């Protein structure tokens, strides 16, 4: 998510990018994801590591959750590309850097980054300034999810082939949207070509979090509210599955953050594990 008032990424998007960079800088290998390009895009200044929300120990579980989520998405995109899917849609792209970090795979796809107009224009400028540019397979599509009735129509206008399947990803977005807006996204995804896949993250209610992670959720909520982008929607896994089914996605399953932690962080000598609190909906259009 990003902030239209300033034409720059919101604080949450920047924080996520900085945590991905911190994973490389302070956590020992093996690294779950290697991404310092988001740090270059954000250009937070030399003192960014001194920010309270960058405390290496206090935030280790949260940065682990961010790199875990991103790695799962990249594995999904790689898997689907291997099956012949050639379109990748990123809803609420923010400081996503897949196109810059994985050009050998990205250049074989048509990638559509959807975000709000002002911040997206800022990102386009930064990509040019840093020398990455905007290749012809990368499409920046401006959409406001709450105000715009159909991001799918905007996609088609940008060159998206509605007759071919796609991977559609929405991470770190649903908590900022009303339930109606999220349902609209699910309905539009269900109308895509058969074989399309959706991965959407969602925040759990506080009582479903591990007790140790609840203070962190409260701190994140307070920070989001202060920055003008409050968390407004939380879902139990069953609520999200019911919403997906009611939106036309009959083939849907819940992927817990805990299971991703087991997949990507098992056996680490440093004991690094992602925090609880964010799970994923994974659905296939049939």
């Amino acid at each position: 998510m990003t902030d239209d008032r300033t034409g720059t990424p919101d604080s949450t998007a920047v924080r996520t990018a900085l945590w991905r960079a911190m994973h490389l800088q302070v956590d020992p290998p093996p690294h779950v994801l290697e991404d310092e390009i988001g740090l270059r895009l954000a250009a937070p200044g030399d003192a960014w590591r001194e920010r309270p929300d960058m405390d290496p120990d206090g935030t280790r579980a949260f940065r682990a959750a961010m790199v875990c989520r991103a790695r799962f998405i990249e594995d999904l995109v790689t898997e689907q590309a291997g099956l012949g899917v050639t379109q990748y849609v990123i809803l609420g792209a923010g400081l996503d850097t897949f196109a810059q970090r994985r050009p050998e795979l990205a250049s074989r796809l048509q990638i559509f980054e959807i975000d709000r107009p002002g911040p997206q224009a800022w990102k386009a400028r930064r990509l040019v300034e840093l020398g990455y540019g905007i290749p012809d397979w990368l499409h920046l599509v401006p959409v406001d999810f709450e105000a715009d009735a159909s991001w799918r129509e905007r996609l088609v206008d940008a060159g998206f082939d509605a007759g071919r399947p796609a991977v559609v990803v929405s991470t770190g977005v649903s908590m900022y949207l009303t339930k109606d807006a999220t349902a609209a996204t699910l309905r539009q995804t269900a109308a895509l070509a058969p074989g399309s896949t959706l991965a959407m993250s969602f925040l759990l209610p506080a009582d479903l979090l591990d007790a140790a992670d609840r203070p962190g959720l409260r701190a994140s909520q307070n920070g989001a509210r202060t920055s003008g982008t409050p968390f407004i929607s939380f879902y139990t896994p069953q609520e999200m599955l019911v919403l997906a089914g009611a939106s036309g996605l009959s083939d849907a399953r819940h992927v817990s953050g805990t299971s991703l932690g087991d997949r990507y962080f098992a056996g680490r000598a440093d004991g690094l594990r992602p925090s609880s609190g964010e799970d994923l909906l994974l659905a296939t259009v049939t």
Side-chain angles (χ1 to χ4, degrees):
M1 293 292 288
T2 44
D3 189 343
D4 270 347
R5 296 167 303 178
T6 61
T8 58
D10 72 13
S11 59
T12 303
V14 172
R15 183 183 303 117
T16 299
L18 300 187
W19 278 344
R20 291 198 301 261
M22 278 196 73
H23 178 54
L24 276 177
Q25 296 184 11
V26 305
D27 296 325
H31 294 119
V32 175
L33 187 83
E34 297 186 1
D35 181 11
E36 290 186 300
I37 294 176
L39 170 62
R40 296 186 66 202
L41 283 170
D46 294 339
W48 70 272
R49 288 276 299 272
E50 299 172 15
R51 291 170 40 158
D53 59 354
M54 293 296 124
D55 176 73
D57 295 323
T59 64
R60 69 195 308 260
F62 299 109
R63 68 174 176 270
M66 293 301 99
V67 298
C68 183
R69 182 180 77 185
R71 172 64 183 273
F72 174 77
I73 296 301
E74 292 207 5
D75 286 353
L76 175 66
V77 173
T78 301
E79 172 193 77
Q80 291 299 306
L83 296 174
V85 175
T86 59
Q87 299 186 111
Y88 177 25
V89 180
I90 309 172
L91 305 178
L95 292 176
D96 189 274
T97 60
F98 173 79
Q100 293 75 47
R101 290 182 297 103
R102 300 288 305 277
E104 76 294 338
L105 174 57
S107 61
R108 304 202 305 268
L109 306 172
Q110 293 295 311
I111 299 177
F112 299 84
E113 292 193 9
I114 293 182
D115 212 334
R116 291 190 253 176
Q120 196 171 70
W122 169 88
K123 184 177 182 181
R125 289 194 300 270
R126 290 293 295 145
L127 288 173
V128 172
E129 289 168 359
L130 292 174
Y132 293 106
I134 304 172
D136 56 8
W137 43 264
L138 177 60
H139 312 271
L140 305 183
V141 187
V143 173
D144 185 322
F145 294 103
E146 291 285 2
D148 198 299
S150 177
W151 51 262
R152 189 171 179 271
E153 291 180 6
R154 299 290 186 93
L155 271 182
V156 172
D157 291 342
F160 181 81
D161 186 345
R164 298 173 64 88
V167 180
V168 180
V169 168
S170 173
T171 58
V173 176
S174 66
M175 68 281 287
Y176 300 105
L177 302 180
T178 62
K179 191 164 291 188
D180 286 344
T182 294
T185 289
L186 294 173
R187 287 194 300 271
Q188 291 179 73
T189 302
L192 296 176
S196 295
T197 303
L198 169 72
M200 174 182 284
S201 72
F202 59 94
L203 285 187
L204 300 173
D207 60 346
L208 294 185
L209 271 65
D210 294 342
D213 293 331
R214 292 174 191 169
L217 173 63
R218 288 194 294 270
S220 296
Q221 284 182 279
N222 292 336
R225 188 181 304 112
T226 299
S227 66
T229 53
F231 298 164
I232 60 176
S233 295
F234 299 82
Y235 302 88
T236 67
Q238 186 60 31
E239 286 172 339
M240 182 54 79
L241 289 171
V242 168
L243 187 62
S247 302
L249 290 166
S250 57
D251 185 4
R253 64 185 177 93
H254 164 234
V255 179
S256 71
T258 301
S259 70
L260 296 185
D262 292 341
R263 179 184 305 186
Y264 296 118
F265 290 86
R268 291 185 65 97
D270 60 354
L272 183 65
R273 293 280 297 186
S275 60
S276 62
E278 185 175 44
D279 286 2
L280 286 135
L281 170 74
L282 188 63
T284 303
V285 178
T286 57

